[in-house]
Amino acid sequence: MSKQLPLDDAQDFSDARRGFIATRTPLVITREDGSVVWSDKDYAWQNDKSAPDSVNPSLWRQAQLNNIHGLFRVKEGIYQVRGFDLANMTLIEGSNGWIVVDPLTAVETAEAALKLANDTLGKRPVTAVLYTHSHIDHFAGAAAVVSQADADSGAVPVVAPAHFTREAVSENVIAGAVMTRRASYMYGMTLPRTATGHVDTGLGKQPGQGTTSLIKPNTVVNRTGQTLTIDGVEFVFQYTPESEAPAEFMFFLPQYAAFCGAEVLSRNFHNIYTLRGAKVRDALKWAGYIDEALVRFGSQTEIVFNSHHWPVFGNDAVRDYIKKQRDIYRYTHDQTLRLASQGLTPNEIAASITLPESLRNNFATRGYYGTLKHNAKAVYQHYFGWYDGNPVNLDPLPPEAEANRYVEAMGGIDAVVEKARNAYTSGDFQWAAQLAHHAVFADASHQDARIMLAQAYEQLGYQAESGPWRDVYLSGANELRNGLQGVDMRESAGALLRSVPLDLFFVAMATNVDPESAAGKVVTVNFRFTDTGDDFTLMLENSVLNHRQGLAAEADATLTLTQELLVRLISGQASLKDLVGKDGVSVEGSFIRLGQLLGSLGLPNFDPFPMTTP
Ligand SMILES: [Zn+2]
């Protein structure tokens, strides 16, 4: 890897340090209770050292770049705080105060970033907030820079792409438990920060582990070419829904000749498919938006700054950068379809697709976050879904049943582990992993099999150029050696459910129906919400919980409550008995029938489920 790439090219390091004004050293940000939200001490050991044997040297370079933190002058009037969280906070000087773009993942990191700007550049009020897109690392720290009251009254414009709030809460609600569990692998959340642990996500160090908030926007961007003057600064928006995020925009600042690429543009090959699990993204649309940006703003743009990583300076560099960002998505799209049309299936496409030299040797299109292999599979998935057309893959045996049979066919578990060890010794780590995986799924208590699989995953992790690939392999290895590693998601899940629109809440609630408890029950219940003013009807029939807006004329019962109390009820924190008669909670009609409906719901699963073991 170090021979293939010009790793000593210093341009990125000089761009990443350009305009440095100040930082905090050490940079340790804590919650009120003293627990650490963000600390550069986790990563300081990476600075000024060459890559250890256990880290891919290309990822190591990116990790060092992402270590550079502080307040930077992008251009007179535009500043960024970088390396205080996974994403960047951008501050634009308005006539009366700061226009804050993307207030980070946590209230604590956003507060620290704003304080650094105020302490260094002079204290100014926040006069506007922009969310470039609906991912949590770009909005959840908002309470540190604006209050919901100022957003509600319109005193501070809070600008977001159309459908922002719905998308911000929905992605993690309906499928939240699985995504959270898988995200803990993808971001290496339970790994040590060491040369054999987590080193970087590619996109930045890690998400801040602090208090999250959701301040709802009051100003919507829903079309390209839409112009807003915000605190005296003209913004020309490009609306880019269903690109990197379901709700997203980029913008051009004519007076600064500067373009904000949000997260549509970044300094790596981003995810067409994200390993935590999410709906696959549209690579063709993504490339199309980037080309549209080039056409509309390319010739006038002197600086590109984004929601992650460091800016691009100078028009020649900007146009070259934007073209290559466009073409990494376009190439992956086109070549996946070309190979598919020749009959190649996803694993074959991943094994044979390669990049042209101009994209391969360009750091900003390297697979530090997404990878060519998994993104090519994502393009396949977008067009063809999970089935590759081969009948053997239509209804394959589930992993344990398959593993038992393979292990028997290969002469028993000890023989399989031995073959895996031979593969490992010869450097064939993926084959070693596949063999040992069968052994572990045949008998998870077989210690030699577990250790063999862990060792194979470790080598695959050390080789990986992608931060998420590394973290996924090393998290798997860690659990094989030490058992399941929990990340507590109760608090975050509860916070999300309290702010989710009720129609989505009921969709999430319906995914908790236990078909056996619900069997044969036919119940209709009206729900009246005293806080939101919403009325809903829930109907249980065929072990399905349907919901409709409005009240049914003939319901078995009517439950009056608040969304907060419904969250407590559904998550098992309170029973109906505890609640009725308090805080305005009441039941009319049949208590028994209401109990039948609620009793058909299982509790949401917040506990870590096994992924590397059966
Ligand atoms: Zn982001």
Side-chain angles (χ1 to χ4, degrees), residues 86-87 102 133 135-138 203 244 263 270 307-308 369:
L86 182 64
D102 287 356
H133 61 293
H135 289 153
I136 192 162
D137 50 325
H138 305 273
L203 201 59
E244 184 266 334
E263 203 165 328
H270 208 288
S307 300
H308 291 272
Y369 196 43

Side-chain angles (χ1 to χ4, degrees), residues 17 29 35 52 65 94 99 146 174 183 217 221 247 297 340 397 442 488 493 503 524 534 549 599-600 611:
R17 293 196 179 104
I29 301 168
S35 65
L65 283 160
I99 302 161
V146 64
I174 293 167
V221 167
F297 310 112
L397 294 167
D488 192 12
D503 63 321
T524 299
D534 288 303
Q549 214 126 26
S600 71
M611 295 201 291

